Amino acid sequence: MILASTFSSTAAVNEVFVHMKEKMPADLRDRINRMESDALYGHGKDYEKNRYTSEYMTAAWGDGYFPYLYRNHPDPNYDPIDNGKMSWDLYREMWGSHGEFVIDGNLKSVEYTDRLPAIKVPTLLLWEITMNAIPQCRK
């Protein structure tokens, strides 16, 4: 079994996000915090109002996530704004409305780490950003 782009504990992931923000350069963290405190939706051009603005996507997904995604092998084709081609209503419902560095949508109820030992088939669990930072996933 392969579980891709998933995680077993929202609480653990939210802890990782706290540490990610702490390690960001202060100017980036301040920009992201400012945009998040101003509310992330309803800003920008008409076509941006129901999604993150390009400025936030670049800061969060570009400058914020890029070092974790491509630390050893930078991808010259990665475009954080291109990442925004998705169903924003669904994304916001699942992830929440307070930004990339806290999951507070309906995924906040994901707490299955204690159930992982019940999986009895060989399983590969993939989550590209922070798996090594979540202690229970290194076992």
Side-chain angles (χ1 to χ4, degrees), residues 2-125:
I2 298 173
L3 302 175
S5 294
T6 189
F7 50 88
S8 64
S9 170
T10 299
V13 172
N14 281 336
E15 265 185 58
V16 169
F17 286 147
V18 167
H19 296 295
M20 283 174 72
K21 277 182 110 173
E22 287 172 351
K23 292 179 180 181
M24 286 179 187
D27 62 323
L28 174 61
R29 184 177 51 249
D30 291 346
R31 270 187 311 143
I32 288 172
N33 286 340
R34 177 187 45 80
M35 287 184 272
E36 290 172 348
S37 69
D38 288 345
L40 291 169
Y41 297 92
H43 298 284
K45 298 178 181 175
D46 285 342
Y47 59 83
E48 292 180 303
K49 292 190 190 262
N50 292 314
R51 65 174 171 90
Y52 294 158
T53 62
S54 298
E55 180 186 9
Y56 186 78
M57 283 189 270
T58 299
W61 292 339
D63 300 331
Y65 282 177
F66 190 86
Y68 295 91
L69 291 170
Y70 300 109
R71 180 182 325 255
N72 296 321
H73 303 286
D75 180 353
N77 297 310
Y78 179 72
D79 180 354
I81 295 171
D82 195 50
N83 235 16
K85 293 178 182 171
M86 67 172 102
S87 170
W88 279 96
D89 291 338
L90 176 62
Y91 189 77
R92 194 170 173 183
E93 178 75 23
M94 293 172 59
W95 204 263
S97 294
H98 298 98
E100 279 303 299
F101 300 95
V102 61
I103 300 170
D104 61 355
N106 64 16
L107 288 176
K108 69 183 170 197
S109 65
V110 173
E111 295 300 332
Y112 302 123
T113 303
D114 61 333
R115 295 175 59 190
L116 293 177
I119 298 173
K120 301 300 180 200
V121 297
T123 304
L124 176 62
L125 178 64

